[in-house]
Structures are given as C-alpha cells and as structure tokens.
Amino acid sequence: MNSLDVVVSGLVFQDLVLGLPTPPRPGTEVWATDSQESPGGIANFAVALARLGLHTGLAAAFGADPDGDSVWDRLTEEGIDLTLSRKLAGWRTPLTVALAYDNDRALVTRGTPPLLSADELITAPPAARAVAAHIGPWPNEWLAKAKAAGCVVFADVGWDPSEQWDPAVLDQLEHCDVFLPNADEAMNYTRTSSPEQALDRLAELVPQVVVSNGAAGALAIDAGTGERVAVPAYPVQAADTTGAGDVFAAGFIAATLWDLPLELRVRFAALTAALSVTRLGGADAAPRWEDLAAWQAAHPEDHLQALISAHSGR
C-alpha cells in the first residue's frame, strides 16, 4: 500500500434509499417517488474524502456476496485503496434501507457483527497522514498505534440501536485528536441536555470537538486554545440526510489536512454536508469539486470562495 492521506475504518453497508412523499403507516402502502442504491456506513467517509482529492484507504470487512461485490466495485471506481479490506465468506454485507421523507430519514438495517475486527484488519500503523474511525462498543486498539506513529486521529460515532449510550465508548477518545459526533450522539453519550453542554464535556476528553446539529449548524471547540466556533447551516432543500454527518466529518478532515483555521474547517464541512443532502444516497451524494465550484459560482459572496477556487482544479 502506498502512502495515503487518510485511512478510514468502520462498518460498510449497502444502502437502499427510498424517497417517500409521506411516512409509512401500518396497514398501508406508500410508493417511493425516487430511489438510490449506494455504499454506506464508513464508505460515506471514504468516498467523500476521495472526491475532495485525498488519497484514501479503507479497512473494512465485506461479505463475499452480491452486495459486498457491488460496494467493493463502486469504491474501487472511486479510487479508494482497499488493500486493508477483506471479503469474508459466510458473512452477509449489512443492508440498510433509508426511508427519506419530511427533510429527514429513518433507517432499517439487517446485519450481524463482522467476522474480522478493525484491529485484525490493521495490524500495523497505516502509512497515512491521518486516520478516521467509527468508534463504538468494540475494540479499536489500532488507533493508539496510529497515534503513536504520528497520524492525526479523527473519530466519529454512530447511532446506538440499544439506546443505552454506554459512556465507556468515550474511553477510546484517549487516542484521538478530533471527535465529530452529531448533537444527539454527543448529548446521549455525555448525559447532557444541550449541544453546548455536550461540547464542553467532550472537550475534557479530546483536544478538538465538533458537534454537527443538522439545520441548526455546528459547534466546535479547541480545548488547547479555548477557541469556540458556531457556524450556521447552509440553507438547502433537503432530499435525503443519509450520510450527511459522515460527509460533514470528511469535509472537516480534508480542511484540517489543508491547515485551515478552525472556523473555515467547520464552514467547509457544513457546505459539503449541505450539498450532500440535496440528493438521495450517502456516499453517492457526496459532492465533487465541480459541485462545490458550481455552488461558488452561484454564491460569490461567501468567503469560502478562495478555498474552493484553490482546490477545484484537483
């Protein structure tokens, strides 16, 4: 594996997104107005990073099944290095059906834990500038190795289907530089009642915290300098919010590796997430530079203009 900008690890899903005019009700049938099949889960991170011009590797388990083959092929087409990934016989690639309606979505997932953990896939520190992982109630000892090897370590966290929100999951932040939860995740894990309170609590555990909050924008804090940032969301017509948090995090990671100030990192992340929700799908909706350049042309007053101009030729 050649030296990479970012290596990401977590669960990969095959997503089927259905755009619905109304939410489904028991005993009724709703016809979808649109649909999209797309790689999902940690693949949202990988595709969004690759589309922003970062040489990206993915360490994940794939089922040796049609869904796994489809996702693997799609990620290969995006230029993602899958050297650290494995196809596993006897295990089914998780499938998520996203029901998109009323500017939000609900998820239904079929799946079982993979037969290989991230620690078994990543046995030595990745040759990368940065790593990113979905943390949860599973071991992630490889993050400590990556941190010790000089990688910048980013962490995200997903929905807890048990809704127990075990605070022990946050112990993994010991080896992380940046934590990027959404507001619900941040409040649930910290047992707080507002995104601001959660931000302060998490800043005791990790040097930088960024809390995304959908249409309410995003908050960030640098615990070392005390700098705080509050950024509003970009107003767009949302078709599907699936994967928006992952795309937000990818935008922040990219902007961090470009050494941008904290506020510009959060603004760029908010823009990438906003553009992603205008289309169905998670990974497939991640914006390319031509999408960002088109947005810039329509909004020349925004002070991200110079950043987008500098990178849109990648």
Side-chain angles (χ1 to χ4, degrees):
M1 180 177 64
N2 297 325
S3 181
L4 300 168
D5 291 312
V6 187
V7 168
V8 300
S9 183
L11 291 177
V12 166
F13 298 78
Q14 170 77 323
D15 283 356
L16 171 61
V17 182
L18 302 176
L20 303 180
T22 60
R25 293 179 290 109
T28 68
E29 181 178 13
V30 178
W31 281 62
T33 56
D34 200 357
S35 66
Q36 178 69 31
E37 292 187 40
S38 170
I42 199 65
N44 299 332
F45 257 96
V47 171
L49 287 164
R51 290 185 176 183
L52 292 174
L54 298 180
H55 191 195
T56 304
L58 171 65
F62 294 71
D65 56 15
D67 283 341
D69 291 343
S70 174
V71 175
W72 185 285
D73 291 344
R74 295 286 296 281
L75 297 181
T76 300
E77 291 170 3
E78 294 283 348
I80 294 164
D81 188 317
L82 297 177
T83 304
L84 292 173
S85 294
R86 296 287 182 272
K87 291 185 179 182
L88 306 178
W91 182 69
R92 298 177 73 184
T93 302
L95 171 68
T96 292
V97 178
L99 307 177
Y101 56 87
D102 292 344
N103 297 321
D104 207 338
R105 85 284 187 264
L107 306 178
V108 180
T109 296
R110 178 223 68 208
T112 58
L115 303 177
L116 284 178
S117 68
D119 290 333
E120 292 170 303
L121 292 168
I122 308 173
T123 56
R129 298 168 61 197
V131 299
H134 280 158
I135 62 172
W138 51 77
N140 273 305
E141 297 299 329
W142 72 276
L143 293 177
K145 298 176 184 178
K147 175 73 172 174
C151 297
V152 183
V153 180
F154 298 85
D156 196 356
V157 69
W159 178 261
D160 178 5
S162 74
E163 297 190 53
Q164 297 302 303
W165 309 100
D166 184 358
V169 167
L170 301 182
D171 292 345
Q172 295 180 24
L173 296 180
E174 176 186 358
H175 307 298
C176 299
D177 297 291
V178 183
F179 186 38
L180 296 140
N182 69 32
D184 288 337
E185 294 156 355
M187 289 187 290
N188 282 319
Y189 275 112
T190 59
R191 308 305 197 261
T192 53
S193 57
S194 73
E196 292 79 8
Q197 291 175 356
L199 188 77
D200 288 336
R201 185 71 56 82
L202 291 169
E204 299 171 3
L205 304 176
V206 67
Q208 283 192 352
V209 183
V210 187
V211 175
S212 57
N213 195 16
L219 304 170
I221 186 171
D222 186 314
T225 66
E227 181 182 5
R228 290 174 175 267
V229 169
V231 169
Y234 286 86
V236 296
Q237 183 63 45
D240 173 31
T241 61
T242 303
D246 293 331
V247 175
F248 177 97
F252 188 87
I253 292 170
T256 299
L257 296 183
W258 299 330
D259 294 323
L260 296 182
L262 181 60
E263 182 180 353
L264 283 184
R265 297 179 197 182
V266 181
R267 286 189 178 278
F268 183 72
L271 177 58
T272 57
L275 294 182
S276 78
V277 304
T278 62
R279 298 191 292 262
L280 292 189
D284 281 358
R288 302 179 187 273
W289 276 111
E290 51 262 38
D291 301 315
L292 291 156
W295 181 91
Q296 172 207 290
H299 302 83
E301 74 284 355
D302 192 273
H303 65 284
L304 285 176
Q305 182 176 8
L307 167 64
I308 294 171
S309 296
H311 291 85
S312 59
R314 284 169 172 255

